Amino acid sequence: MNERDALRALAADLPHAGDDAAVVDGTVITTDMLHERTDFPPGTTRYTAGWRAVGASLSDVAATGAAARAAVAVYADEAFDRDELNSFVAGAVDVCEAVDAEYVGGDLDEHVEFTTATTAVGDVTAAGPVTRGGARPGDALCVTGEWGRSAAALRLFKRGDEEAVERANELFRFAPRVADGLALADSATAMMDSSDGLARSCHQLAEASEVGIEIERDAVPVHPAVEEVAGGSAERFELAAHFGEDFELLCAVPDEDFEMAAEACPAGLTRIGRVVEEPEEAPRVTVDGDPLPDRGFTHAEE
Amino acid sequence: MNERDALRALAADLPHAGDDAAVVDGTVITTDMLHERTDFPPGTTRYTAGWRAVGASLSDVAATGAAARAAVAVYADEAFDRDELNSFVAGAVDVCEAVDAEYVGGDLDEHVEFTTATTAVGDVTAAGPVTRGGARPGDALCVTGEWGRSAAALRLFKRGDEEAVERANELFRFAPRVADGLALADSATAMMDSSDGLARSCHQLAEASEVGIEIERDAVPVHPAVEEVAGGSAERFELAAHFGEDFELLCAVPDEDFEMAAEACPAGLTRIGRVVEEPEEAPRVTVDGDPLPDRGFTHAEE
């Protein structure tokens, strides 16, 4: 089984699995593992790694519309360099502070590869947790922020000069959209974060909600850094829609609530398309009328 | 820095780190990472691994005297075998059920080595979280259950025949002492779990509480499985006191509360010594009047 099939098998067995985060008695809990070979390109500082790893879990909390309360991390490596460890913790502390959560430590483990496992907990608002499964035909399909920053970062890491690597590290330190998730908790009918990229996330949300999705290519907000690294508009859309790991929010909002919701989102909210009736046959998700493939980033592509 | 020094450095920087679990607004949160090379000897089933890994985090919740609410795990491996994954999840679900908690899923990660990162959350009782730092001279020093089961298990895994491996798996599936921790939450002045073994745990508790500890060798309850694998009484004490990973509780209880506390502990509570004034010079911890070295299990020993 590949990771995706295995996740599906797990979701079938565990009632609280399958969404970005599990919810138990009003507490959201979510966990992730990132490691050097696949998640931290050469040049990634430990400060950036701590920020990004803990941020990934905070992003899952944001996706449920919950307030982030606290995060922990396991830091595993072949050996422990005090400066590296301090930098990692500083990044973890800072990303928590950015979303009004508290970093409360964790554990260390000697491991063959730099690996970190992070967990965040949060508190569901009175509106209850938002899941992927409630989008209704007619809803506006919306995204927070701008897309493609991680794709751009990876190209800058590859470029490798000092300036590019510094910029790449900045891009890798995304702001988890906790405030936006909270602002959307009342109005969003479905929400998720975009770990797997816009295209795959649209498919996942559409499947969970049993609807179709139509998006407009030119409506997708592309991060300015993508302009720096990508040639034409096709490549820019590829990086913004298929790369993933941007940790922005994708959500469905009733049309009449869009303006109010957009004003309440600090990261900005852009309408990129709409939710439609579930089509009788593929494609489930279209972009400007053409099928949008259910294809995310594969590490082999870069 | 080795793992221990690194943990100390971390504890100094993070106010909530250093105890078995962090407590934020009444919620206990704790995380651990275990992996094949150091934690799961050949013969360990994935069911046992799931039970033990999630159990280790539940044990940290127990050590604070909190009720366990939920646990998550990241399951990382080179590839995902559906049977292995299902067995792991079944073990995780069963150990949660054993302590009235809920296993709510987690994440998967492709990794070079079978690795699991687990997180448990719990709810502090009205008595507040018990830490390592409150033991007072005159308190009875107590332990739950029987000690040395993981040491015995490791020897049985090494023996390698089918019967030994089956018994070793059983021994590895310890019962997290959540009910005992809850029963002790009101009376214990200090508490921790015994991940690092009795000797090292005594040193940690004594240091955190700024006290001395005197234990009696013959009072330490040794698990019957230790008899099966160890020759004389010296070796039995070595395995019970220095091996660790038994996930029993070590606590200090006011003398007058001992009987009541013992009756309330399902796993049994044994008085193994007493808390004394902090000595002006080493040793801080003695066994039958001799120094008890601050020495735990090192993987190289076995």
Side-chain angles (χ1 to χ4, degrees):
Chain A
M1 273 194 303
N2 64 25
E3 190 169 322
R4 208 170 163 205
D5 290 341
L7 275 172
R8 281 195 179 147
L10 274 186
D13 291 339
L14 296 170
H16 292 289
D19 267 304
D20 292 280
V23 181
V24 188
D25 302 338
T27 296
V28 174
I29 176 167
T30 174
T31 190
D32 302 275
M33 184 180 285
L34 299 179
H35 53 104
E36 189 150 31
R37 191 171 45 90
T38 52
D39 301 298
F40 303 122
T44 309
T45 66
R46 289 296 158 103
Y47 178 79
T48 296
W51 177 294
R52 189 169 176 83
V54 172
S57 289
L58 293 168
S59 175
D60 284 328
V61 170
T64 67
R69 194 199 299 181
V72 292
V74 180
Y75 177 102
D77 206 347
E78 286 179 279
F80 303 109
D81 176 273
R82 174 140 197 176
D83 287 342
E84 285 183 351
L85 184 56
N86 284 348
S87 295
F88 179 91
V89 170
V93 166
D94 287 351
V95 73
C96 282
E97 278 182 5
V99 299
D100 287 330
E102 191 176 358
Y103 182 68
V104 294
D107 196 17
L108 298 176
D109 187 38
E110 284 180 18
H111 207 298
V112 288
E113 184 186 357
F114 171 52
T115 301
T116 179
T118 55
T119 302
V121 297
D123 300 293
V124 170
T125 64
V130 186
T131 70
R132 300 175 178 184
R136 291 169 303 202
D139 286 348
L141 189 80
C142 310
V143 295
T144 59
E146 295 166 321
W147 293 59
R149 61 186 290 155
S150 286
L154 210 67
R155 295 210 170 177
L156 290 165
F157 275 123
K158 283 200 142 177
R159 195 183 292 171
D161 60 278
E162 196 177 324
E163 194 189 342
V165 167
E166 194 176 316
R167 176 92 177 105
N169 272 286
E170 273 170 33
L171 289 167
F172 248 32
R173 296 194 297 268
F174 64 93
R177 300 308 188 193
V178 174
D180 307 85
L182 279 165
L184 290 159
D186 282 334
S187 56
T189 55
M191 187 154 64
M192 63 186 297
D193 85 341
S194 65
S195 326
D196 295 329
L198 179 62
R200 182 157 280 173
S201 298
C202 283
H203 278 271
Q204 288 166 352
L205 191 141
E207 269 179 43
S209 296
E210 299 181 339
V211 295
I213 282 177
E214 298 176 356
I215 73 170
E216 295 161 46
R217 179 180 297 233
D218 290 344
V220 175
V222 178
H223 195 282
V226 174
E227 309 280 340
E228 301 166 27
V229 300
S233 90
E235 191 181 4
R236 284 200 291 277
F237 184 76
E238 171 70 25
L239 294 182
H242 292 290
F243 187 90
E245 300 186 354
D246 281 327
F247 302 103
E248 294 291 348
L249 299 180
L250 171 73
C251 63
V253 174
D255 217 47
E256 62 273 23
D257 295 334
F258 173 76
E259 292 299 335
M260 203 182 61
E263 276 172 34
C265 281
L269 190 70
T270 306
R271 185 203 307 253
I272 64 164
R274 62 196 189 107
V275 178
V276 297
E277 294 285 348
E278 184 168 35
E280 285 183 19
E281 53 192 41
R284 187 186 278 279
V285 180
T286 61
V287 52
D288 293 345
D290 295 323
L292 179 67
D294 183 7
R295 171 171 65 73
F297 169 64
T298 61
H299 295 287
E301 281 165 19
E302 276 291 315
Chain B
M1 275 195 300
N2 63 25
E3 192 168 321
R4 208 171 162 206
D5 291 340
L7 276 172
R8 283 198 178 146
L10 274 185
D13 291 339
L14 297 169
H16 291 289
D19 267 302
D20 292 281
V23 182
V24 189
D25 301 339
T27 296
V28 174
I29 176 167
T30 175
T31 191
D32 301 275
M33 185 180 284
L34 300 179
H35 53 102
E36 190 149 31
R37 189 170 47 88
T38 51
D39 301 299
F40 303 122
T44 310
T45 66
R46 290 297 159 103
Y47 178 78
T48 296
W51 178 293
R52 188 169 177 83
V54 172
S57 289
L58 294 168
S59 175
D60 284 327
V61 170
T64 68
R69 194 199 298 180
V72 293
V74 180
Y75 177 101
D77 206 347
E78 287 179 280
F80 303 107
D81 175 273
R82 173 139 196 175
D83 287 342
E84 285 182 351
L85 184 56
N86 284 348
S87 295
F88 179 91
V89 170
V93 166
D94 287 352
V95 74
C96 282
E97 278 182 5
V99 299
D100 288 331
E102 191 175 358
Y103 182 69
V104 293
D107 197 18
L108 298 175
D109 186 38
E110 284 181 19
H111 207 298
V112 287
E113 185 187 358
F114 171 52
T115 300
T116 178
T118 55
T119 301
V121 297
D123 300 294
V124 170
T125 65
V130 187
T131 69
R132 300 175 178 184
R136 292 169 303 202
D139 286 349
L141 189 80
C142 310
V143 295
T144 59
E146 295 163 320
W147 293 60
R149 62 186 290 155
S150 287
L154 210 67
R155 295 210 171 177
L156 290 164
F157 275 124
K158 281 200 144 178
R159 194 183 291 169
D161 61 277
E162 197 177 323
E163 195 188 339
V165 166
E166 196 177 314
R167 176 90 176 107
N169 271 286
E170 273 170 33
L171 289 168
F172 248 32
R173 296 194 297 270
F174 65 93
R177 300 307 188 194
V178 175
D180 306 83
L182 280 166
L184 290 161
D186 282 333
S187 56
T189 55
M191 188 155 64
M192 63 185 298
D193 85 341
S194 65
S195 325
D196 294 330
L198 179 62
R200 181 156 281 173
S201 298
C202 282
H203 277 272
Q204 289 167 351
L205 191 141
E207 270 180 42
S209 295
E210 298 180 340
V211 295
I213 283 177
E214 297 176 357
I215 73 170
E216 295 160 44
R217 179 180 296 233
D218 291 345
V220 175
V222 179
H223 195 282
V226 174
E227 310 279 340
E228 300 167 28
V229 300
S233 90
E235 191 181 5
R236 284 200 290 276
F237 184 76
E238 170 71 24
L239 294 182
H242 292 289
F243 188 89
E245 300 187 353
D246 280 326
F247 302 103
E248 294 291 349
L249 299 180
L250 170 72
C251 63
V253 174
D255 217 47
E256 63 273 22
D257 294 335
F258 173 75
E259 292 300 335
M260 203 182 63
E263 275 173 33
C265 282
L269 190 70
T270 305
R271 185 203 306 251
I272 64 164
R274 60 196 192 106
V275 178
V276 297
E277 294 285 349
E278 184 168 35
E280 285 184 16
E281 53 191 41
R284 187 186 278 279
V285 181
T286 61
V287 53
D288 293 345
D290 296 324
L292 179 67
D294 183 8
R295 170 171 66 73
F297 169 66
T298 59
H299 295 288
E301 281 164 20
E302 277 290 314

